[in-house]
Amino acid sequence: MPSPPKLRALPSPVLMTQPDDPPEPDSQYVPGEAATQLGLQPPLEIVDTIWRLVVTSEPGAGKSYPLQGQVRVGRDSDNDITLPDDKRASRHHALFQITDNTLHIFDLNSSNGVYVDDKRIRGSSRLRSGNLVKIGKTTFVVQYDG
């Protein structure tokens, strides 16, 4: 039976290396490019919100809500947008979702439905700038700032 290989000591101490200095502003650096080349997910970048909801009904007319990712709306305090005084809104009424810069709304099986431009939606609907969305007694206008 062969003997196990012998280990030898390292010739010098192992040093920790520091990451390279950040690229100069005028270089051709593209955030996440190295990760993408390695087949990894690039880091998320913080971008300005380009979708928003603006309340057009009372109370709260003029209040603006920026939308990013998924935003849930309803009467309960655990929603991203809360409508605590709107008795026609369900506890978890609707979900706004942005995918590939496209905005959709999903009715979360609410009691009184979700209306887009005065038409009740079934399941979900794609939204466009200028659409009026009614959740309970609260009406929002969809705005796109892109």
Side-chain angles (χ1 to χ4, degrees), residues 43-119:
L44 295 176
E45 294 181 51
I46 297 174
V47 295
D48 291 335
T49 300
I50 54 176
W51 287 102
R52 71 182 62 256
L53 298 175
V54 178
V55 179
T56 61
S57 59
E58 293 294 339
K63 185 161 180 151
S64 178
Y65 296 95
L67 299 176
Q68 289 184 339
Q70 293 184 343
V71 175
R72 191 174 62 194
V73 181
R75 221 176 46 242
D76 271 1
S77 62
D78 65 344
N79 289 291
D80 302 298
I81 298 174
T82 59
L83 307 171
D85 300 323
D86 189 339
K87 301 301 181 205
R88 291 189 50 80
S90 295
R91 290 180 299 131
H92 299 120
H93 199 106
L95 178 78
F96 290 89
Q97 180 175 317
I98 300 171
T99 306
D100 296 328
N101 207 27
T102 301
L103 179 62
H104 286 87
I105 187 169
F106 297 84
D107 186 339
L108 299 177
N109 297 317
S110 64
S111 299
N112 294 310
V114 172
Y115 292 81
V116 175
D117 296 333
D118 293 322
K119 294 179 185 155

